[in-house]
């Protein structure tokens, strides 16, 4: 049974990671129109390294397994590990 504290290790965390990554890449060229912005987003999504996607997916799996082992308790030792 899980405790009252929610452990948020779902797809929004993956989306947040990629969102921050994409934002840092998309705005390098300072797009001036929506069309330029959209094109930059498409190009940067296509350029995400496969290895990065694998690492993000594996990391999420590790966190979910740890959550199950800890019975839903706080995962600060895992979440803040470098």
């Amino acid at each position: 049974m899980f405790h009252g504290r929610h452990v948020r290790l779902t797809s929004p965390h993956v989306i947040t990671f990629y969102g921050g990554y994409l934002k840092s890449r998309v705005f390098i060229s300072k797009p001036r129109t929506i069309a330029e912005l959209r094109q930059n987003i498409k190009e940067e999504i296509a350029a995400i390294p496969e290895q990065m996607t694998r690492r993000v997916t594996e990391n999420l799996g590790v966190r979910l397994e740890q959550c199950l082992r800890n019975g839903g308790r706080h995962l600060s030792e895992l979440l803040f590990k470098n």
Side-chain angles (χ1 to χ4, degrees):
M1 179 65 68
F2 286 95
H3 298 269
R5 184 184 309 176
H6 295 287
V7 180
R8 297 179 182 137
L9 299 174
T10 58
S11 60
H13 282 86
V14 174
I15 292 168
T16 300
F17 168 77
Y18 280 122
Y21 174 79
L22 287 173
K23 183 177 178 182
S24 72
R25 305 285 305 159
V26 165
F27 288 101
I28 288 174
S29 66
K30 298 180 178 151
R32 291 182 272 165
T33 66
I34 295 296
E36 288 176 2
L37 177 61
R38 286 183 178 149
Q39 185 60 35
N40 286 2
I41 291 169
K42 289 177 185 178
E43 290 172 4
E44 291 301 333
I45 287 173
I48 293 173
E50 182 179 337
Q51 187 60 31
M52 178 187 289
T53 301
R54 288 178 196 255
R55 282 193 315 263
V56 169
T57 303
E58 289 169 3
N59 187 291
L60 178 61
V62 167
R63 290 178 184 207
L64 291 172
E65 289 171 4
Q66 186 67 34
C67 181
L68 290 172
R69 282 194 296 273
N70 285 349
R73 292 187 304 275
H74 191 62
L75 300 177
S76 61
E77 71 281 354
L78 184 64
L79 292 176
F80 302 107
K81 185 172 94 176
N82 290 330

